Amino acid sequence: MNVTPSVVASRGAPRATGRLARGALAGAAIAYVAILLLLPLIGIVAKAFAPGVSIVGDTLGRPEVRHAFLLTGIITAITIAVTTSFGLVVAWVLVRQRFLGRALMNAVVDLPFALSPVTVGLAAVLLFGTGGWFTDFFAAQGIQVLFALPSMVLVTIFICIPFTIRELVPVLEEFGLEEEDAARTLGASIWQTFRRVTLPNIRWALLYGIALTTARALGEIGAVLIVSGTISGKTETATIYIFSALEERLDAQAHVVALVLAATSILLLVGIEWLHRRNEQARSRT
Amino acid sequence: MSMPIKVEGLTKRFGTFEAVNDVSFTAEAGTITALLGPSGSGKSTVLRMIAGLEVPSAGRIWMGDDELTAKSVQERAVGFVFQHYALFRHMTVAENVEFGLKVRKEPKESRDARVEELLELVQMSNFARRYPDQLSGGQRQRVALSRALAPRPQVLLLDEPFGALDAKVRQDLRRWLDELHRELGVTSLLVTHDQEEALELANQVVVMHEGRVEQAGTPADVYDDPATAFVAGFVGAANVLHGHVVEGHVHLGSFKVPGADHLEEGAAAAAYVRPHDVRVSDEDTGVRGTVDRMATLGWLARLSIRLPGGETLVAHVPHDELGETGEGDEVWVDLRSPKAFGLEANPGPVDPAAAELTVNGSAIPSSS
């Protein structure tokens, strides 16, 4: 006789615990993101403005700070140009061509994710430093690689290689070949096909790749620190400036520079996301 | 305006696999030629080589007197329609149709006029501002066709254009394409695995199998006078009876069928008989069978007749010829115009199960 109520009860119970479990899971996720991602950012903002707003103008007016930002900007710009153009080529080859060693190439592309930047910097020192494989060659050309811009750019590119490729490969795979074939039968050149058919379809993946690359290049320190020789006013990037400023107890200046770097990266990522959404909405309204 | 297409010795190897092997045929100006074959027969590869999307391993391609073999896709200026439409998903219907004119740098006014004209032709004017994902399959294929026609190609290549559509839409589009072709008269090559489609639309049918041309001819040639066992089995339904050759006949245990004069004495052979060439007779034909099943399909009946040797024949017989015949009756069977093929020389579908499939999957002539 009591069978029916007990069935109802046993059905009700897991539902209640299910809701509880889902709530706990959501709470854990939010707490995790808030504590580990947002709190440090809030901390930087608070610390940067603690000595008063004038510290911002004061710090950004310093010649060594300006030079550090300029250097970071140059390195980032070159890195974006190289990783974007070669990233397109590598992603295209990985998706569209079948060749011996393709799987290996696919794995090698991710290598920078697995390596510590310090290791990358060390490798560059071994290649271009005293007794390195390429040292004599570049010395003969009169090009200073180590402790100068070339090695700093080189290690940053190395570290940023995977971002564009990893964004592009799945999108290119999904896009397929047929639309490109169609464009070519309609008389489009390879360049027209790329610009009018392929690019509009991989545009957002490419932009995300560039945004991630920018953020990573702006923030890189480990490898750059090792190859730069930290020559103040010469090979000091924004991140290296933060590092040295903290050592010299110029905490406020370090915080302001850190804030600028963080704000640039975040604005870039949020901005692209916003543009993408706006674009999707405009498209779905027609 | 339209041009003949000629291919000679066309061959395509992917590694050691020969997808297309020494294919030659001519598609006359203004006609429709169907490349008909099962999947994997190399027909799409032939089409893609003509378009320039694949590079032939050997052979030559002409459009009129103009050799295309070494030309780029861009220079060939052929219209191509893909099985899965391949519409540009980020462009509207009108932009899709305009694409081929835009990349040729045609002036804006003439582009707009041409797009309007073509969308009218394919009855898609009301959809000009829609995106491909807002259209049905049939509508997409009509847009794809108008896009291919926009730059006024001399040749239209259609790769299984109705393959991804359901039966009803396929029927409609087939009729519509036929009318459109009569109106435009552009030389068309149609790749299909659907024999009915090929026979209905084409002036010439090129039957392909395992990378080779089995037979090229008019639909009537290919259907009534198949050159190989494969063609006999693939184009139209056929009963396949296995036996061996004795004095110009294929012997099948208790009976024999004529038409094997060209085959070597004693060789293994198969006789192909179409279901509508199997008739029930009052006179002694020498072949006796039992009606196992009888199904009515409108104006004709479909009979399964079991022969003494155990083989089952499928027969399509008009009702008025049947009289009182019913299931379980013994009847005389008249096998008209059998086609005999030697098995060693040309295996074809020797697998009895495959032959059975051909019969069961037979296209019953629709009541029209």
Side-chain angles (χ1 to χ4, degrees):
Chain A
M1 277 310 211
N2 287 337
V3 170
T4 316
S6 79
V7 167
V8 171
S10 70
R11 262 190 203 160
R15 223 175 257 173
T17 52
R19 203 178 300 144
L20 206 68
R22 272 202 300 276
L25 218 54
I30 293 166
Y32 175 76
V33 171
I35 295 169
L36 287 172
L37 281 175
L38 289 179
L39 216 56
L41 283 175
I42 295 166
I44 291 175
V45 174
K47 286 278 185 186
F49 290 107
V53 181
S54 65
I55 186 74
V56 176
D58 185 45
T59 305
L60 298 181
R62 284 166 170 253
E64 71 268 26
V65 172
R66 288 180 169 224
H67 185 269
F69 275 123
L70 178 69
L71 192 58
T72 293
I74 293 170
I75 292 172
T76 305
I78 300 174
T79 301
I80 289 170
V82 173
T83 57
T84 304
S85 38
F86 280 91
L88 271 169
V89 174
V90 172
W92 198 89
V93 168
L94 276 178
V95 174
R96 296 292 152 81
Q97 266 151 278
R98 295 288 171 267
F99 54 92
L100 203 70
R102 181 176 158 274
L104 183 70
M105 179 161 151
N106 195 24
V108 165
V109 161
D110 285 337
L111 200 61
F113 281 150
L115 282 179
S116 159
V118 177
T119 314
V120 176
L122 202 64
V125 171
L126 290 175
L127 291 180
F128 300 103
T130 319
W133 289 349
F134 305 122
T135 316
D136 295 341
F137 173 77
F138 283 105
Q141 317 293 316
I143 300 168
Q144 171 77 23
V145 178
L146 209 59
F147 311 128
L149 190 64
S151 64
M152 297 167 80
V153 169
L154 214 58
V155 293
T156 309
I157 289 172
F158 183 95
I159 284 158
C160 291
I161 281 172
F163 294 105
T164 316
I165 299 170
R166 283 293 155 246
E167 288 288 328
L168 285 176
V169 163
V171 179
L172 274 174
E173 250 160 19
E174 198 269 328
F175 182 59
L177 280 171
E178 275 212 327
E179 288 179 39
E180 290 175 8
D181 281 349
R184 287 167 62 214
T185 61
L186 287 165
S189 65
I190 287 177
W191 169 242
Q192 282 172 320
T193 303
F194 176 75
R195 196 170 63 85
R196 291 181 186 276
V197 175
T198 316
L199 192 59
N201 283 286
I202 61 168
R203 181 173 50 166
W204 292 107
L206 195 63
L207 280 176
Y208 277 116
I210 291 173
L212 289 173
T213 303
T214 311
R216 188 71 185 82
L218 288 179
E220 173 49 31
I221 178 159
V224 172
L225 189 64
I226 289 185
V227 300
S228 74
T230 50
I231 307 160
S232 178
K234 267 190 96 177
T235 64
E236 201 172 64
T237 62
T239 47
I240 296 175
Y241 174 83
I242 298 169
F243 185 71
S244 347
L246 285 173
E247 282 200 326
E248 291 163 35
R249 301 191 173 270
L250 297 168
D251 285 16
Q253 281 83 353
H255 293 144
V256 169
V257 174
L259 182 63
V260 172
L261 287 182
T264 311
S265 299
I266 291 168
L267 280 178
L268 204 66
L269 290 173
V270 172
I272 286 175
E273 181 66 36
W274 178 75
L275 276 176
H276 192 177
R277 285 193 183 195
R278 208 182 57 153
N279 187 271
E280 298 275 282
Q281 277 161 8
R283 163 83 162 68
S284 63
R285 264 200 300 275
T286 55
Chain B
M1 181 60 206
S2 72
M3 288 278 193
I5 279 277
K6 189 172 142 198
V7 303
E8 211 178 79
L10 212 54
T11 299
K12 178 68 183 181
R13 281 180 287 268
F14 295 107
T16 54
F17 171 67
E18 286 214 324
V20 175
N21 194 344
D22 193 21
V23 166
S24 305
F25 63 86
T26 303
E28 297 299 342
T31 64
I32 298 185
T33 293
L35 294 177
L36 175 66
S39 56
S41 58
K43 56 195 191 303
S44 284
T45 310
V46 169
L47 203 69
R48 292 177 62 84
M49 286 192 281
I50 295 171
L53 294 169
E54 300 280 355
V55 181
S57 308
R60 299 170 79 180
I61 303 161
W62 285 271
M63 184 162 75
D65 296 328
D66 189 14
E67 185 169 356
L68 298 182
T69 321
K71 289 194 171 174
S72 73
V73 188
Q74 204 185 352
E75 289 168 309
R76 295 191 193 197
V78 296
F80 202 105
V81 175
F82 296 80
Q83 181 177 1
H84 299 289
Y85 329 121
L87 292 177
F88 305 128
R89 60 190 90 172
H90 62 291
M91 296 182 200
T92 62
V93 165
E95 286 166 346
N96 263 282
V97 179
E98 192 189 4
F99 184 88
L101 307 168
K102 211 166 179 175
V103 297
R104 282 180 173 77
K105 311 254 191 293
E106 273 197 32
K108 179 90 176 100
E109 300 79 55
S110 75
R111 276 182 352 225
D112 288 349
R114 181 78 178 141
V115 169
E116 202 174 313
E117 175 193 340
L118 276 159
L119 289 180
E120 206 147 298
L121 184 72
V122 300
Q123 295 146 31
M124 289 293 294
S125 301
N126 294 333
F127 298 88
R129 306 199 62 80
R130 297 275 189 96
Y131 283 91
D133 59 6
Q134 297 164 321
L135 304 177
S136 71
Q139 290 173 329
R140 287 185 208 186
Q141 201 53 297
R142 269 148 58 193
V143 174
L145 191 67
S146 61
R147 180 180 69 175
L149 290 171
R152 296 187 170 82
Q154 314 249 315
V155 170
L156 187 61
L157 308 175
L158 305 122
D159 190 4
E160 299 266 9
F162 312 132
L165 301 167
D166 58 56
K168 176 76 180 82
V169 180
R170 202 153 61 211
Q171 285 276 351
D172 290 348
L173 273 188
R174 195 193 292 169
R175 264 178 217 132
W176 175 81
L177 180 70
D178 193 29
E179 281 167 29
L180 193 73
H181 181 261
R182 281 164 204 273
E183 200 174 316
L184 300 175
V186 56
T187 313
S188 303
L189 274 175
L190 170 75
V191 159
T192 180
H193 63 268
D194 181 344
Q195 37 123 346
E196 216 182 313
E197 196 168 288
L199 297 178
E200 186 179 326
L201 283 175
N203 306 90
Q204 180 188 213
V205 178
V206 177
V207 184
M208 288 191 64
H209 177 50
E210 291 177 345
R212 291 174 178 278
V213 173
E214 293 273 330
Q215 188 176 3
T218 63
D221 283 345
V222 169
Y223 187 85
D224 296 333
D225 199 10
T228 67
F230 175 81
V231 176
F234 190 76
V235 182
N239 294 289
V240 186
L241 299 165
H242 294 274
H244 60 276
V245 180
V246 179
E247 291 168 352
H249 287 64
V250 181
H251 277 242
L252 304 120
S254 63
F255 67 98
K256 58 186 180 175
V257 295
D261 295 318
H262 60 295
L263 298 173
E264 206 178 305
E265 184 77 10
Y272 286 69
V273 187
R274 305 245 180 246
H276 58 77
D277 286 330
V278 181
R279 290 299 163 92
V280 172
S281 177
D282 297 330
E283 292 155 35
D284 184 347
T285 58
V287 186
R288 195 83 172 137
T290 312
V291 178
D292 254 357
R293 286 180 59 82
M294 195 169 123
T296 300
L297 305 158
W299 59 280
L300 57 72
R302 177 163 140 165
L303 277 60
S304 297
I305 303 171
R306 200 167 26 136
L307 300 177
E311 306 98 330
T312 301
L313 284 175
V314 173
H316 291 167
V317 186
H319 276 297
D320 51 5
E321 280 186 25
L322 272 177
E324 297 297 304
T325 310
E327 283 185 13
D329 290 354
E330 280 218 355
V331 291
W332 289 110
V333 183
D334 182 11
L335 299 169
R336 300 176 183 176
S337 47
K339 302 279 182 295
F341 299 97
L343 290 182
E344 269 100 353
N346 204 331
V350 285
D351 179 8
E356 194 89 37
L357 261 181
T358 331
V359 171
N360 292 340
S362 77
I364 307 302
S366 51
S367 40
S368 59

